[in-house]
Each structure stands twice: as C-alpha cells, then as structure tokens.
Amino acid sequence: EPEVTQTPSHQVTQMGQEVILRCVPISNHLYFYWYRQILGQKVEFLVSFYNNEISEKSEIFDDQFSVERPDGSNFTLKIRSTKLEDSAMYFCASSGPGAGELFFGEGSRLTVL
Amino acid sequence: AQSVSQHNHHVILSEAASLELGCNYSYGGTVNLFWYVQYPGQHLQLLLKYFSGDPLVKGIKGFEAEFIKSKFSFNLRKPSVQWSDTAEYFCAVTFNSGYALNFGKGTSLLVTP
C-alpha cells in the first residue's frame, strides 16, 4: 500500500538553527499538507500546497516557515530560526484529486533546546 | 470561531463493551467530517468520513459514526471493542469545503482484556 514517508523521525536542534523536515507524498497525489502536534495538544493545521503554491495556511505558519516541492517528489517544511515553542511532532499528509481523504506520514519529532 | 471539540479525553473499556466517542463542532456552514485513528507508534489513519448523503456512515474495523446536523455532532461508535482498538481517536472537520482539517484534541482509548 502506498504511504507517505517522512524524514527524519526525530531531530534535536538548538534554538535559532534552521531545520528542514522532508516528506515524500504518495506519488499520484496532488495536495500536500503539514500539520503539527505540540505534546498534549491538538493536531494543528499549518499549510496546504497545490499546484506548486500555498493554497491555505494558518496563523501559525508565519514568515519563519516555508514549504517547497523542489523536485516533484519531495515536499519540505523549513523552519528558518527555530524557537523552543516549535518543539512538536510534525505530520506531512497528501491527498488525491478533490482533496478528499488525507494520508498521513508517521511524523517527525522536532525538539528545540 | 470555528472549532472542534471532543469531550472524552481518556476512556477505559473492557473488551466487548460498547464505545461511543463524542465530537461536536461549531460552524453553521458546510462541513466535511472525519474520524482518524492513531495506533501506538503508527501514523494517523482514516476510520471513516462523511461528505453528504446518509448521515450514518460505516468505516473500517466495525466503526460507524452518525452526523446529526441539528446537534452539530459526529459521534463515533462501535458495538463491541477489542483490545486491538486501543489507540488515540481524532475527530476532524473541514469547514466550507476548505482543505484544512481542524482536529479535536483526541480521545485516548484503552481497552483492557
């Protein structure tokens, strides 16, 4: 069964450092998403991406964050200068035409020290 | 403001007991409704979804949910739980045909033998 894969599974970084989280969505999917879950809190929407541009983003997704689909297979989330409060599990997801069911990756746990 | 709430944060049941997990949302417009499950150490998986039509929807593994528009609810049910149903359950809603899934805080279900 096709699946969404994410790397790294866990990253520890110092405050102020740049972090790139990588995702390989399901190959024929057209819509891509990033969500995050801070420990003990809700899964929160960050951004959706379609046709090589952001289609929707939340208030959380400020200028510190950016997304890219550099090569037609990877979908990356970059955090420019990490803060302690960016520590969370980051989930990538993708969906097919019509943006119906989302398929999630296993998540990348980011710890900012 | 649009929101999704799950009332039960932790539920403990014995095997063969019946399950009902509550989910309510606040929004007067068009919604699409989802239940996702996250088994320990695994990614979020779709249990079932409602877009339109019969408000009683059946999903995988014997789960069902009923959309009651007048109550803004989409409760998840299973007549007889198994130990393997131990997981975190998330209700999620898209508002007004948007792409962003808005999650509830999740309900942790523990099924004891």
Side-chain angles (χ1 to χ4, degrees):
Chain A
E1 187 181 317
E3 56 182 26
V4 176
T5 56
Q6 290 185 240
T7 53
S9 55
H10 190 190
Q11 179 155 358
V12 181
T13 190
Q14 296 290 326
M15 195 167 55
Q17 294 297 303
E18 176 182 283
V19 159
I20 297 176
L21 305 178
R22 291 182 169 78
C23 170
V24 179
I26 293 172
S27 62
N28 63 344
H29 281 185
L30 303 175
Y31 297 84
F32 314 109
Y33 311 82
W34 283 101
Y35 287 79
R36 79 170 185 193
Q37 186 178 28
I38 295 171
L39 190 64
Q41 297 186 25
K42 292 186 182 192
V43 177
E44 300 172 294
F45 169 74
L46 292 178
V47 66
S48 62
F49 192 84
Y50 171 71
N51 202 24
N52 281 320
E53 60 184 25
I54 290 173
S55 49
E56 201 173 340
K57 63 180 181 178
S58 71
E59 291 172 356
I60 303 167
F61 195 87
D62 61 22
D63 292 344
Q64 260 221 113
F65 292 90
S66 62
V67 288
E68 201 176 33
R69 191 158 156 79
D71 56 12
S73 62
N74 289 285
F75 179 52
T76 61
L77 174 70
K78 183 193 289 187
I79 309 174
R80 230 176 304 279
S81 175
T82 50
K83 301 186 285 239
L84 294 175
E85 53 265 38
D86 293 327
S87 295
M89 183 73 94
Y90 288 81
F91 293 103
C92 175
S94 68
S95 62
E101 176 183 352
L102 270 63
F103 292 80
F104 284 85
E106 292 197 6
S108 293
R109 180 169 296 287
L110 176 64
T111 302
V112 182
L113 303 176
Chain B
Q2 302 151 359
S3 65
V4 181
S5 57
Q6 291 180 243
H7 314 297
N8 321 100
H9 298 302
H10 297 280
V11 173
I12 301 175
L13 294 173
S14 300
E15 274 194 315
S18 65
L19 170 73
E20 180 159 2
L21 301 181
C23 173
N24 286 87
Y25 64 92
S26 58
Y27 182 65
T30 304
V31 293
N32 293 325
L33 301 153
F34 306 79
W35 275 96
Y36 278 83
V37 61
Q38 188 174 29
Y39 298 104
Q42 296 188 28
H43 56 89
L44 287 159
Q45 301 172 44
L46 183 68
L47 270 181
L48 47 77
K49 62 187 177 189
Y50 173 81
F51 285 4
S52 63
D54 188 343
L56 182 63
V57 292
K58 295 194 184 297
I60 60 171
K61 306 187 183 189
F63 286 91
E64 64 178 34
E66 185 174 11
F67 173 45
I68 303 179
K69 192 173 181 180
S70 60
K71 295 185 177 179
F72 302 92
S73 70
F74 189 57
N75 292 355
L76 180 72
R77 299 195 293 248
K78 185 170 183 178
S80 175
V81 294
Q82 301 170 311
W83 175 80
S84 57
D85 293 324
T86 293
E88 189 94 13
Y89 291 81
F90 296 92
C91 178
V93 183
T94 63
F95 298 111
N96 206 27
S97 305
Y99 299 129
L101 274 175
N102 296 270
F103 282 85
K105 283 195 80 168
T107 298
S108 175
L109 172 66
L110 173 64
V111 180
T112 59

